[in-house]
Amino acid sequence: MTRTLWDSTVGKKTIMAVTGLVMLGYLVAHMVGNLKIFFGPGEFDGYAHWLRTMGAPVLHHEWALWIVRVGLVAAVVLHGVSAYQLSRRDIKARPAKYVHKRPRASYATRTMRWGGVILALFIVWHILDLTTGTVHTGFEAGHPYQNVIDTFSTWYGNVIYIVAVLAMGLHVQHGFWSAAQTLGVGNATRDRILKTLANLLAAVLTVGFISVPVAVMTGVVS
């Protein structure tokens, strides 16, 4: 049953939809957590500490955080592999170019593929920058507030982050509506509501994430 689901086009689209919604839920929670930086280092560092102790005393230090990380990695891998395989199937099914041009797709639709690549590369950078500190000069373990300030005090840190967030916004805009269609939620009556909700989610997430580097650049957060 599981093998049949994975091998079928419908199954891969369903996996993409479900994993996409899982990642969307994480993005909303992550954005809310990021916005705590506007309340000062004590609030932000306290939130970072809570992430490592949530589930205590039932779970040991960082166990819950690692459960979330493993789940997210699984979602990202399944999402990416399904997207790649569906793309390859689409190419094989249409080896010759269309005689007539297809209707022009939305900008978000046309950028889904490269947007996914940008996001995958950004996830790696983000982990190396603010989790392990591998690419972060002056990284201080246990001082997340200062590490964020340091990252967004560099031009390249801002450029990388903002480009990734814009790609994420476009990905969410199209992906949310597409997931609803795949899971059978959408219909002629609900389409407008779903598209409006997709646009709203994309806008809120984009503004919410970008507000942090902008605040650091303008000195609102320092």
Side-chain angles (χ1 to χ4, degrees):
M1 178 66 180
T2 303
R3 183 68 186 182
T4 302
L5 176 68
W6 175 252
D7 288 339
S8 69
T9 296
V10 172
K12 290 185 186 300
K13 288 183 177 180
T14 301
I15 290 170
M16 280 194 70
V18 173
T19 55
L21 292 175
V22 168
M23 290 185 285
L24 178 60
Y26 168 77
L27 285 173
V28 172
H30 190 41
M31 181 198 69
V32 172
N34 281 3
L35 294 178
K36 286 183 175 291
I37 201 167
F38 289 98
F39 297 95
E43 186 83 11
F44 190 75
D45 289 351
Y47 164 69
H49 176 72
W50 173 79
L51 287 176
R52 287 157 176 76
T53 58
M54 60 180 173
V58 177
L59 300 177
H60 288 290
H61 186 71
E62 292 194 359
W63 276 23
L65 182 59
W66 274 106
I67 290 172
V68 171
R69 286 170 173 168
V70 171
L72 281 171
V73 169
V76 170
V77 170
L78 287 171
H79 194 83
V81 171
S82 296
Y84 174 77
Q85 292 180 346
L86 285 171
S87 177
R88 297 302 301 172
R89 286 186 181 182
D90 186 54
I91 292 172
K92 288 181 180 178
R94 300 180 178 88
K97 292 185 177 179
Y98 287 94
V99 176
H100 302 289
K101 288 185 177 180
R102 301 175 70 186
R104 189 174 179 81
S106 69
Y107 188 74
T109 303
R110 288 183 284 116
T111 57
M112 281 294 281
R113 288 173 184 169
W114 64 255
V117 173
I118 288 175
L119 290 173
L121 293 174
F122 172 72
I123 289 171
V124 175
W125 166 267
H126 199 49
I127 291 171
L128 295 176
D129 181 31
L130 291 175
T131 301
T132 66
T134 306
V135 298
H136 187 145
T137 303
F139 179 83
E140 295 182 50
H143 296 82
Y145 182 92
Q146 190 56 49
N147 290 332
V148 170
I149 300 298
D150 289 345
T151 286
F152 296 134
S153 295
T154 63
W155 68 267
Y156 57 86
N158 288 312
V159 170
I160 292 172
Y161 190 86
I162 291 173
V163 168
V165 169
L166 292 175
M168 176 272 298
L170 290 172
H171 214 76
V172 168
Q173 181 187 28
H174 176 73
F176 179 81
W177 183 82
S178 180
Q181 304 307 305
T182 298
L183 297 175
V185 177
N187 57 36
T189 305
R190 301 190 191 116
D191 273 0
R192 179 172 295 183
I193 296 174
L194 288 169
K195 287 182 178 179
T196 300
L197 183 56
N199 291 336
L200 182 61
L201 276 169
V204 170
L205 285 168
T206 300
V207 173
F209 279 113
I210 287 181
S211 67
V212 177
V214 169
V216 175
M217 284 189 286
T218 58
V220 173
V221 172
S222 61

